[in-house]
Amino acid sequence: MRTHLLTTSVFCLIVFSLLLQSCNEPVKNEEKVFQQNLSSFNTTINKLDSTLDLIDSMQLKVEDIEEQRVLGKISDEEAINRLNQINNTLGRQIAKTSNFHPVRGLPVWALQLGLTEPTGMVLDKDYSQSTSEDNDNEGFNSIILVYHGNYDVAIKQAGIIASKANIPMSQDYKDALNLSKKYNIETIKGASYMNFELGSDDNPRYNISITVTDDGTLTINATDNFALMQQLDER
């Protein structure tokens, strides 16, 4: 009899302990999530502080160069060279510090839009980043991929990417090309493809642009503008 009561008591104690542990589990999980979020928040704040310090430093250097240029202490060409040096040093540091979501290529949603990556070019991981609708702190999809390479290759690849994704030339770029042909002007540098117009109310949900600068930098940019506007309205 005593053995039966003891066995029953032990069984009840085990069940009670399991129930208690089960009740406490969500609390532990919440504490864990809170600590993770707190750690992530602190990391973000530290990054923002570092970024702001770099931006302040960069601004001071830019203002100093502009002042020297205005006073005639340095030529316009020298000023441009110095500004490029600052952008390649402090500018890149700022990009690294503020890049919370570095990427290595196009996400699935971007591939579904028909976007592809260029061949024969190098991805700049410092300047390439993304946001995701699955991240509660962001709430919308966006991607920016920056590639460097030979200028002619960049121009050719931009055309291929735009054609596959059915992205037309931007109106400004088209007008510039037409003028250069009409008046036999030296071919303009760069390229621009866009599926939207700035300020238009009739743009597609995903705003996509593919651009090339005269130094051979190709940039792919895609943003879920509808979801972005919703996020901005909520905040």
Side-chain angles (χ1 to χ4, degrees):
M1 181 68 174
R2 288 182 181 177
T3 304
H4 177 71
L5 288 174
L6 181 59
T7 304
T8 303
S9 299
V10 171
F11 176 75
C12 290
L13 181 60
I14 292 173
V15 172
F16 179 74
S17 298
L18 289 173
L19 288 173
L20 184 61
Q21 182 179 358
S22 177
C23 290
N24 286 336
E25 195 62 33
V27 176
K28 290 182 179 179
N29 288 337
E30 287 179 6
E31 290 178 354
K32 184 178 180 180
V33 171
F34 173 78
Q35 290 298 331
Q36 289 175 342
N37 288 341
L38 180 61
S39 176
S40 177
F41 176 77
N42 288 334
T43 300
T44 300
I45 291 299
N46 291 334
K47 277 191 171 185
L48 286 174
D49 287 342
S50 299
T51 302
L52 291 174
D53 289 341
L54 287 170
I55 290 175
D56 288 341
S57 177
M58 186 174 182
Q59 182 63 32
L60 289 173
K61 290 181 181 296
V62 169
E63 290 176 354
D64 180 59
I65 291 173
E66 177 61 18
E67 182 178 354
Q68 291 186 56
R69 186 191 69 80
V70 171
L71 294 175
K73 294 182 179 180
I74 59 175
S75 64
D76 290 347
E77 184 178 357
E78 176 65 18
I80 292 173
N81 288 334
R82 291 190 185 185
L83 289 174
N84 286 335
Q85 289 176 2
I86 290 174
N87 186 56
N88 290 331
T89 53
L90 285 176
R92 183 165 291 278
Q93 288 181 45
I94 291 171
K96 284 183 178 180
T97 306
S98 61
N99 192 342
F100 298 106
H101 301 286
V103 293
R104 296 183 180 276
L106 289 167
V108 173
W109 63 262
L111 293 172
Q112 292 173 344
L113 294 174
L115 289 172
T116 54
E117 296 183 58
T119 57
M121 303 190 73
V122 179
L123 176 68
D124 192 327
K125 296 177 182 178
D126 292 340
Y127 288 100
S128 301
Q129 55 185 306
S130 67
T131 61
S132 173
E133 63 182 10
D134 296 326
N135 187 324
D136 292 336
N137 294 324
E138 296 166 349
F140 68 99
N141 290 331
S142 73
I143 185 77
I144 178 169
L145 294 177
V146 180
Y147 297 86
H148 300 297
N150 176 271
Y151 174 78
D152 292 333
V153 172
I155 289 292
K156 182 178 180 180
Q157 289 299 310
I160 293 173
I161 296 169
S163 177
K164 288 182 178 179
N166 198 28
I167 308 299
M169 288 182 181
S170 68
Q171 190 59 50
D172 289 342
Y173 181 46
K174 190 182 295 184
D175 291 343
L177 286 177
N178 290 335
L179 285 174
S180 67
K181 292 177 181 178
K182 182 177 181 180
Y183 296 103
N184 198 25
I185 303 173
E186 183 181 354
T187 304
I188 62 170
K189 286 287 186 179
S192 174
Y193 301 86
M194 298 170 63
N195 71 339
F196 64 97
E197 294 182 15
L198 296 175
S200 174
D201 295 327
D202 192 30
N203 287 324
R205 172 162 184 161
Y206 276 89
N207 289 358
I208 300 173
S209 67
I210 302 158
T211 60
V212 176
T213 56
D214 57 4
D215 64 351
T217 298
L218 187 156
T219 303
I220 301 173
N221 200 327
T223 302
D224 184 346
N225 201 53
F226 177 77
L228 171 59
M229 291 298 104
Q230 282 188 319
Q231 290 296 312
L232 294 175
D233 289 339
E234 290 176 3
R235 296 175 186 180

